Every structure is written in C-alpha cells, then in structure tokens.
C-alpha cells in the first residue's frame, strides 16, 4: 500500500462492509477524513485510515443508539477482503482444496490443524434424531428434518448446558454427523458409511458416489462453513449471547437460514437452471424473471464486486466432471444473458444449483449442504460469543407508536 493510495467511496464502503452513506457518517463523526475527487465528483479516502478503521471493528453499520447493547462484533474467524475470504487468516478456498470438511471445521473452531479427523454420531443421539424425523409428515423437507433432529438430540444430551470450550467442541463433533445421519438415504439398499461428505451424498442422490463427486461435495461443505456475519450467523450469536446451549444456537441458525434470501436461494437457482435446460436456453427464462420484477437467482453478492470465490472454486471442479457439463453451460448462459441487462456475477447459490441439477438431487439439496456446513460455523461463533459479556447483543428499540398515557381500550 503506497502512502498516497486513495479509495473511492464505493471502495471504502466495500472494505468496511457498510453502505456508502455510512462512510460519510464516519466522516461527520471525525472517524475518517475525506478529499474531493479529481474533477469534483465524489470523495476519496486515505486507504490507511480505512484499514485502521476496519481493524478497529468498523466493518458494521453503526448502532442507531449508543444506549443498550453492544453491537461491536469481535471475531477472529472469517475476513472478507478484496473479493477473497479467509478462515483465521488463511485463504478459505486454498484450505477447502487442501483439506476435507472436518479438518477445515477444526481449523475454524480451534486454529489448529487436525489431520484424519472423523466425526461420529453416538447411537443414542442418532436414534433420538431418527425417531423425531420419522414422526414428521411425509411431505416434510430436509430443513424440517434437520430442525427436528437438532431439537431431539438436544433433549437426549444431558450435558447440553455445559458451555465450556471442550464440551461445546464435543457437541459439534457429534451433532454434525447426527444431523446428516437423521436424513433418509436416497437409496436404502446401499450401506452408508464414511466421512461427512460421503454420508451426505447418499442422502441427496441415488447416484453412487465416486471419489470425484465426493471431493466436490466435500469442497462445497468446507467453503460454506462460515462467511462473516450472515443473517443466520447473527441469529446464532444472539442465541449464544443469551447463553443458549449449542443445540439451541444451531436451531436459531437453521431458522434464519431457511429464508428465500439466504439458504433457500440455491433452490430457486436450481429451478431456474432446470427451466433453462428444459427450454433450451437462458433468454426466455431470464426474460420471464425480469418481466415479473423478480431478480435472477444465483447472481450477485453484496460482499463481492466480482465473482463469488466460492462459486469460482466450485465451477472449476464442476468443469472437470462430464456429468455436470450441461448444467454448467446453462449457468454460464444465465450469467451471460443477464449481463446484457446488468453486470452481476455468479454466486455460490448458482454453483450449488449446478451441483444439484447435474447429479439429480432435489431442489433443496443446496440448502441442505449449506445447513450442514454452516452448523460448524455457528458453533465457532458460539464459542466466541460464550467468551463475551452475556446478553451484550441487546439493542434499543426506537419506539414509533402513540405516546402514553392512553386510556384503556373499551
């Protein structure tokens, strides 16, 4: 970084993870200095000041009120910077390429490399989870099953209220395989064994797993472990702030993840790709979305100016799988067709959709992968939050109703 390096308002906002108007709020409060850009259009900012402010934890929208709870999130888990993201300072894409899901999860949890890690579901936990899942209506989806399984395992674990780091890590290593094991297999005749990716594969598609396909899913799981303070992660941290046990933290995350703008977005992208393949091209499909005022699923991400690095990594792997060629071409067609209207890059939801379409998985498969992977991230954030002051995440509401006193309603 040179002494004279200046950033535009947009670049400064992206580096801090805030809206452009918030950058000017920092200026008005004396936290940043600015200069008029050449030609008098807009402002520029000292890159060193932006970096210093980011290190102080300003990558959040400032609280509307200084009273009430503490909204400063200190985290050593994930940094998103310049269209890349890092787990504890190491490039997450490189980690996912070099290690399996379990090893990367251990790195995010502890900061220590763990080779040969294997997660195991205790039989009594697995039995409780499967009983709960079996009691659900036949039309229940994977997210319904995962939520039911998390609650059932919680009730089966008498040590769930032990929030010591060792106990929480022990919970994580058993909860993840239990959640996967509670899902029905796509082919009941095939024995289910192996690590998380192999076990999950056999619950997403009846196609027999091979090393290439398992590696693809394993990489996807590792890439999705954490992504800073996404909505589900914020929900998980709020629960942990109230000292909810790890199972409840995961339940909070699962509830937020199910929204169509979060985990369920990959299902929308799946249906879009399936329609593109059915109609022989992206043009009519994209046109239908734009005509009805809907955004095209699987495109754009507020934290990346270019292509989502998770999508980029998965597309590179998918390009080596002959079975994925048609779905991958459909995804590229969607991106190129939409680019004529607006410059949006592919995000991880589109990459997950290529995976699910190519291997005959249900539309909700991407969301399932997301939920299993992000469970590891929610536990990591719970570990951080348990070390903070309890109930610090208590913002003050801005009351806009009628002023009291008012008479009792008749």
């Amino acid at each position: 970084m040179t002494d004279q390096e200046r950033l535009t308002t947009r670049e400064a906002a992206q580096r801090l993870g805030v809206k452009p108007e918030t950058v000017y709020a920092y200026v008005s409060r004396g936290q940043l200095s600015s200069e008029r850009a050449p030609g008098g259009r807009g402002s520029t900012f000292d890159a060193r000041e932006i970096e210093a402010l980011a290190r102080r934890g300003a990558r959040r929208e400032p609280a509307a009120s200084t009273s009430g709870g503490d909204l400063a999130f200190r985290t050593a888990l994930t940094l998103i910077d310049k269209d890349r993201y890092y787990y504890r300072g190491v490039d997450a894409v490189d980690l996912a390429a070099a290690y399996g899901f379990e090893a990367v999860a251990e790195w995010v949890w502890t900061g220590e490399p763990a080779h040969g890690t294997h997660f195991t579901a205790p039989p009594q936990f697995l039995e409780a989870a499967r009983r709960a899942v079996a009691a659900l209506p036949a039309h229940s989806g994977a997210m319904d099953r995962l939520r039911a399984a998390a609650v059932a395992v919680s009730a089966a674990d008498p040590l769930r209220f032990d929030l010591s780091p060792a106990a929480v890590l022990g919970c994580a290593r058993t909860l993840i395989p239990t959640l996967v094991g509670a899902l029905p297999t796509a082919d009941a005749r095939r024995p289910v064994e192996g690590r998380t990716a192999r076990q999950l594969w056999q619950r997403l598609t009846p196609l027999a797993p091979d090393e290439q396909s398992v590696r693809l899913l394993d990489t996807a799981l590792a890439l999705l472990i954490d992504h800073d303070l996404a909505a589900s992660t914020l929900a998980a941290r709020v629960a942990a702030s109230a000292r909810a046990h790890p199972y409840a933290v995961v339940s909070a995350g699962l509830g937020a993840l199910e929204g169509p703008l979060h985990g369920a977005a990959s299902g929308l992208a799946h249906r879009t790709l399936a329609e593109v393949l059915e109609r022989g091209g992206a043009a009519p499909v994209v046109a239908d979305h734009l005509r009805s005022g809907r955004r095209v699923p699987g495109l754009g991400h507020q934290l990346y100016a270019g292509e989502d690095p998770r999508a980029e990594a998965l597309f590179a792997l998918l390009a080596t799988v002959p079975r994925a060629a048609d779905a991958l071409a459909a995804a590229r067609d969607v991106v190129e067709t939409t680019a004529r209207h607006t410059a949006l890059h592919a995000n991880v939801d589109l990459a997950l959709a290529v995976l699910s379409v190519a291997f005959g998985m249900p539309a909700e498969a991407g969301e399932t992968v997301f939920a299993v992977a992000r469970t590891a991230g929610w536990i990591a954030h719970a570990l951080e939050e348990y070390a903070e002051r309890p109930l610090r995440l208590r913002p003050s509401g801005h009351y806009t109703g009628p002023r009291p006193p008012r008479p009792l309603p008749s």
Side-chain angles (χ1 to χ4, degrees):
M1 183 180 298
T2 64
D3 291 343
Q4 285 74 37
E5 185 176 353
R6 309 289 297 179
L7 302 178
T8 65
T9 303
R10 182 181 176 215
E11 290 170 338
Q14 288 177 340
R15 176 65 186 89
L16 294 171
V18 299
K19 300 174 183 175
E21 53 265 32
T22 302
V23 176
Y24 291 110
Y26 287 135
V27 174
S28 66
R29 295 170 189 171
Q31 293 173 274
L32 286 176
S33 61
S34 66
E35 294 180 4
R36 298 298 294 175
R41 299 186 62 181
S43 301
T44 64
F45 302 85
D46 188 322
R48 294 169 301 176
E49 287 190 3
I50 296 294
E51 291 294 330
L53 187 58
R55 287 194 297 270
R56 294 199 301 271
R59 296 180 71 250
R60 295 287 166 268
E61 294 296 329
S65 170
T66 56
S67 62
D70 176 9
L71 293 183
F73 288 84
R74 292 166 288 274
T75 179
L77 301 178
T78 301
L79 170 68
I80 299 174
D81 184 41
K82 297 177 181 176
D83 282 356
R84 304 298 296 175
Y85 75 117
Y86 306 85
Y87 292 155
R88 294 189 180 275
V90 179
D91 190 290
V93 172
D94 292 343
L95 275 170
Y99 300 97
F101 166 66
E102 288 87 351
V104 178
E106 292 284 350
W107 171 259
V108 175
W109 291 335
T110 68
E112 297 290 337
H115 302 285
T117 300
H118 188 81
F119 298 161
T120 304
Q124 68 273 25
F125 288 4
L126 195 54
E127 177 64 20
R130 285 175 173 169
R131 283 179 178 269
V133 167
L136 294 175
H139 64 265
S140 300
M143 291 300 292
D144 300 317
R145 297 184 175 106
L146 290 174
R147 291 201 310 274
V151 172
V153 179
S154 166
D157 186 359
L159 304 180
R160 63 187 178 276
F161 296 107
D162 185 349
L163 303 186
S164 65
V168 173
L169 286 171
C171 169
R173 295 177 183 123
T174 58
L175 176 59
I176 291 172
T178 302
L179 292 178
V180 174
L183 298 173
T185 57
D187 185 351
R189 297 168 299 176
R190 190 187 310 132
V192 180
E193 56 186 13
R195 298 188 184 278
T196 304
R198 183 173 291 274
Q199 294 229 13
L200 182 58
W201 179 272
Q202 297 180 84
R203 288 167 167 84
L204 297 176
T205 175
L207 295 176
D210 55 38
E211 289 306 312
Q212 190 177 39
S213 59
V214 171
R215 176 173 174 261
L216 176 60
L217 182 56
D218 200 27
T219 302
L221 287 167
L223 291 170
L224 290 168
I225 288 174
D226 191 43
H227 205 237
D228 198 29
L229 285 175
S232 58
T233 303
L234 177 59
R237 287 200 77 132
V238 171
S241 177
R243 295 305 182 259
H245 54 70
Y247 301 100
V249 167
V250 170
S251 294
L254 287 170
L257 185 70
E258 199 170 8
L261 301 181
H262 196 5
S266 62
L268 301 177
H270 173 108
R271 294 180 178 90
T272 298
L273 288 190
E275 187 178 358
V276 169
L277 290 170
E278 179 184 348
R279 300 177 68 174
V285 179
V286 169
D288 285 348
H289 277 82
L290 297 179
R291 182 166 51 212
S292 60
R294 303 190 309 269
R295 59 185 294 271
V296 180
L299 300 180
H301 197 291
Q302 61 182 349
L303 297 181
Y304 298 114
E307 189 169 61
D308 185 333
R310 301 169 297 178
E312 186 178 4
L314 290 177
F315 283 149
L317 286 177
L318 286 161
T320 67
V321 180
R323 187 182 184 91
D326 290 345
L328 188 58
R332 296 300 189 198
D333 193 9
V334 169
V335 173
E336 292 167 4
T337 301
T338 308
R340 303 171 200 164
H341 170 74
T342 180
L344 291 176
H345 298 274
N347 61 36
V348 73
D349 298 316
L350 190 62
L352 289 174
V354 173
L355 170 67
S356 58
V357 169
F359 289 96
M361 299 176 182
E364 64 179 354
E367 185 177 10
T368 306
V369 175
F370 217 120
V372 171
R374 195 56 58 88
T375 294
W378 296 329
I379 295 292
H381 280 274
L383 284 164
E384 285 197 328
E385 196 58 45
Y386 289 149
E388 296 282 358
R389 174 172 58 84
L391 291 175
R392 70 189 184 100
L393 305 182
R394 178 60 172 87
S396 298
H398 181 67
Y399 180 72
T400 60
R403 300 300 304 175
R406 299 182 72 198
L408 282 173
S410 58

